[in-house]
Every structure is written in C-alpha cells, then in structure tokens.
Amino acid sequence: VKVHKPVSNNTISLLSGGLADTTICNGATPHRITGLPANGGTNISGDYSFQWSSSPDNITWTDISASNGIEFQPLSLTGTTWYRRRAVSGECSSESGPVKITVLPVITNNSIAGDQTVCKSDTPELLAQAQGQVIAGGAGTYSYLWEQSTDGIVWNPAPGTNNQPNGSYQPPVMTRTMKYRRIVNSGANDCCTSTSNVLELVLDSLPAGSAINAGSDTIIYSFDHIVQLVADPPITGGTGKWTLVSGTGSFENETDNDTKVTGLSMGLNTYLWTVTMGACKMEDEVKVSVYDLVIPEGFSPNDDPGGYNNTFRINGLDLPNQTAELTVINGAGTEVFRTSNINGNEWSDW
C-alpha cells in the first residue's frame, strides 16, 4: 500500500504586491495570478498538475479550460470574480485559497459645458459639470484634473487650481483661443478613468485703437429736467446702449448715442454708454448734475455806461436742446413781455 502525502504549499497570489485582492475597472485586464510550487503528493518532481477555476460569488466554482499551468492570466473582466487553483499529485489534491478581483463600473456622465467666446483680457466663466448630469460609476468618489490644449492634440495640465474637489475649473484671463477637457479618476490607484468632451474658449478682440467717450460731465439749470446726451457712435459692426447708473432718467432711444433723457433727478445723475462688438464691450460714464433755474428777482434797464444788469436773463436755460416760453406780467395782470423759441421762433432776452 503506497501512501501519498497531502499536497501542501498550494498558495496563489496576484502580482500586485502579493495582495489577496485587487481592484480594476470594467473591461480591464487584471494582474497575472502566480502560485508557489506545490509539495507533497508523490513528491516526484514534475508529477504535479494544476486546474484553475473561477466564481462570481466565491460559492459556485467553474473550471477554466486550458488553464493547467502553475500561473494564470485572466482575461478582461466585466464583473467581480474569484479565482483559485487545484494542485494534484498522485492520489492527493489541494484547493488553494481564493483571490478576489473587484470590478468597478465604468465612470459615466463626465460631461462639461459649455463653449464660450471671450474678449481678450476678460476672464471666462467657470467651467463645470453639464447641467442635469451627475457623474456615476467607479468607486463613487472621484478626483479631477483639468487639461488644456491649443490644437486638441497635445494636452497639458491647465494652469491654476485644476483639481477642485467639486470638479469645476476657473480658466485664467484670455490671451488666446484654448481648448479644455476634464479627466475623472476613481477607485484604487485611479483604476477607473474617464475623459470628458472638449470645450473651446474662443478669443475675441476689438479693432486696434478702439475707444469710447460718453460725453463730458455737465451741470444744467433746468425747469423741465431734460438733457441731451451725445456719446461717440458705436464702432463699425458694434451696437450701443445707454443704461442708468444712479439718479433717474428715461431715454428717448437707449440705443442712440445722441439721445434725449427726461425725468432727471435734482442733483447727480449718472448714465453709462456701452458699446458691444461680439464678446467685447467698452463702457464710459457721463455725470449730469441738475440744479434749478436761476431767475433774477429784478433788473435795472437804465442803459448805464457799464451795461450792468440791463438785461433780464434766466440762467440755466439750455435753449439749443429745450423749448421754452417766458411771459412777464405786471401786478395788474397785464402782459409786459413775452419770448419763446417754440415753432422756430428766436428767443430774445428782455
């Protein structure tokens, strides 16, 4: 009666540092599984055979065909899988302990938005996850890296803070057209990775020497609180618009550089003239201070040699831009003087 010894030393491990477990992403190929030479059995060198088997749950095992070597290289995996090795010598056999390969789902919804046209020297809007999209897959936690490229071929880490935990990125001030994308990693050793769609930030600029002037600051003495604003017209291809900064006022035509404003407040009123061309714009403010008319309480038309105080003149009238009529009556209610610039008439002082 020949008695073979129990098979021993049937130990297997992954080449990832000898760990029993490893983690990969869906569709990836795991490390090769290696094993120690077995002992026991007949103790005859070369009198050992091996059979590898796999399991989706570490309960139900299936032998793998054509897997009779001391080592085994799994194929790409789409689900978590356990592996073990059976060593046979003579009448004795031994099942190794299993190694587990955890398979994570691929990262999905790594979508960023959106393309921008930005004026030279302006700061682009924040780049972030596309609205309504939520990153999924991997291990459930993620790290980010933003990259930039001028040609969409060679990519480099984007300048500044390019790995915010929330996955967003603030591009720097625009100096040239640039493309951006985001790399998302998850899992042990960043085993799952995803590259987003590509965004392009297009540089826009104004014609050389472009400038804008909203007009000179002015002080008016007014009874109707109306002023005529005269700014530089928009550059060719651009559009202009007036907006209220402080005070009050209603624009007769907010897109006309030469427009009338009514309803000014007493004191300071500030208006902004903005010229826009593409993604670029120029702005300039004009300040209008409004005071009441200065109406003299009397005058002395005595034709004195110095001509002092011989004319009844209302200070503050803006006759080129206003229509006005002056009527003077005496204590009995009789009209003694009238003048007007209405209907093309010429205003004259009394």
Side-chain angles (χ1 to χ4, degrees), residues 285-297:
E285 288 184 351
V286 60
K287 300 180 186 297
V288 180
S289 298
V290 180
Y291 299 96
D292 278 331
L293 296 177
V294 178
I295 303 175
E297 296 180 357

Side-chain angles (χ1 to χ4, degrees), residues 228-241:
Q228 188 75 26
L229 297 180
V230 182
D232 290 342
I235 56 178
T236 302
T239 59
K241 184 178 181 180

Side-chain angles (χ1 to χ4, degrees), residues 49 80 83 87 125 128 138-139 183 193 202 209 211 231 235 250 296 300 310 316 336:
S49 63
T80 297
Y83 291 94
E125 295 179 3
I183 309 299
T193 186
V202 178
I235 56 178
S250 298
S300 54
N310 285 330
V336 296

